[in-house]
């Protein structure tokens, strides 16, 4: 059994979704953010020293196992499901899979997070956001070009790379300029949100601002 330590409105929604797609049994332990700081509560430090979400506990592993970091969790769960939704057999598709799996957090999320932080800075925050937005636009154009060529990030089939890419693109649609001017990306998001496993994960995870 997998226990997901799930923080509201966070990257951990992807973990619930992936578990639904994989058909692995899991339990959700939900945490609310501090309403003043919007940070995770201190209780999460009892699970992992960083006190961040997502974190999972695999109760089936010898002695139990704690896994942190979304990308590491995704790879762990794909392996646990015997490679389901993992890298495709075709080499080019497999390379795309690995690229997008790591691009989501390594390249796309940092400027989106920077813009979120700046949005909460009085006076100078607006100027900072204007400087960050062109960087985000480069990424959104890059994603749009990729999705204009193929239905899913790795190729013709849905994979865990699509799960990883969901949160940054949801965040971009919410606060960073992703709109109908990038039709392939918005169509991909609509397609993702219509998946039954995604909808079930929303029901189990509770309110999620980016759906």
């Amino acid at each position: 059994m997998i226990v997901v330590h799930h923080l509201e409105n966070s990257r951990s929604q992807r973990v619930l979704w992936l578990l639904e797609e994989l058909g692995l049994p899991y339990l959700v332990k939900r945490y609310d953010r501090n309403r003043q700081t919007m940070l995770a509560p201190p209780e999460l430090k009892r699970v992992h020293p960083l006190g961040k979400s997502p974190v999972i506990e695999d109760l089936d592993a010898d002695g139990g196992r704690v896994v942190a970091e979304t990308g590491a969790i995704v790879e762990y769960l794909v392996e646990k499901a015997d490679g389901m939704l993992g890298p495709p057999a075709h080499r080019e598709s497999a390379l795309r899979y690995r690229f997008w799996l790591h691009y989501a957090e390594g390249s796309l999320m940092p400027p989106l997070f920077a813009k979120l932080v700046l949005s909460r800075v009085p006076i100078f925050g607006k100027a900072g956001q204007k400087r960050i937005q062109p960087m985000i636009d480069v990424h959104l154009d890059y994603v749009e070009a990729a999705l204009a060529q193929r239905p899913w990030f790795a190729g013709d089939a849905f994979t865990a790379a699509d799960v990883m890419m969901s949160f940054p693109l949801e965040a971009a649609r919410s606060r960073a300029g992703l709109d109908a001017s990038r039709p392939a990306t918005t169509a991909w998001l609509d397609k993702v949100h219509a998946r039954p496993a995604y909808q079930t994960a929303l029901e189990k995870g509770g309110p999620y601002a980016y759906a």
Side-chain angles (χ1 to χ4, degrees):
M1 176 69 71
I2 300 291
V3 177
V4 182
H5 295 271
H6 171 56
L7 181 66
E8 64 173 331
N9 296 328
S10 77
R11 294 163 166 86
S12 61
Q13 186 63 39
R14 290 178 294 191
V15 176
L16 304 184
W17 175 27
L18 179 61
L19 284 161
E20 287 294 330
E21 294 280 0
L22 296 174
L24 295 175
Y26 67 97
L27 296 174
V28 180
K29 185 168 183 182
R30 194 173 186 277
Y31 300 80
D32 293 326
R33 293 180 181 274
N34 181 295
R35 289 296 173 243
Q36 291 183 324
T37 65
M38 297 308 292
L39 297 176
E43 289 84 356
L44 272 169
K45 286 191 175 181
R46 298 173 191 163
V47 185
H48 189 276
L50 293 178
K52 304 293 185 181
S53 177
V55 177
I56 65 168
E57 291 182 89
D58 186 351
L59 303 182
D60 297 328
D62 291 341
R65 179 179 290 117
V66 174
V67 184
E69 291 293 338
T70 313
I73 291 169
V74 166
E75 291 189 300
Y76 181 85
L77 294 176
V78 165
E79 182 179 345
K80 190 176 179 71
D82 297 323
M84 183 179 177
L85 300 184
H90 188 273
R91 176 168 172 75
E92 290 303 316
S93 296
L95 290 172
R96 283 195 295 266
Y97 168 89
R98 292 190 179 93
F99 171 79
W100 293 109
L101 192 77
H102 295 285
Y103 170 88
E105 290 293 322
S107 293
L108 185 51
M109 271 307 301
L112 289 169
F113 183 71
K115 184 169 184 179
L116 174 63
V117 171
L118 288 168
S119 72
R120 296 173 180 169
V121 175
I123 304 175
F124 298 110
K126 286 188 176 180
Q129 288 184 73
K130 288 181 180 178
R131 297 188 68 176
I132 289 287
Q133 187 60 48
M135 303 178 195
I136 295 173
D137 289 337
V138 169
H139 286 288
L140 295 181
D141 289 342
Y142 181 67
V143 169
E144 175 69 14
L147 289 174
Q149 296 177 49
R150 58 189 69 90
W152 301 104
F153 277 101
D156 293 332
F158 172 82
T159 68
D162 295 286
V163 175
M164 279 297 293
M165 285 296 295
S166 62
F167 183 78
L169 292 178
E170 287 170 334
R173 183 150 73 172
S174 174
R175 61 175 182 258
L178 175 56
D179 57 23
S181 66
R182 296 180 174 93
T185 309
T186 55
W188 177 89
L189 266 178
D190 292 340
K191 183 168 57 175
V192 156
H193 290 168
R195 292 180 72 86
Y198 186 96
Q199 292 297 320
T200 302
L202 283 181
E203 294 171 8
K204 293 185 179 181
Y208 179 59
Y210 305 114

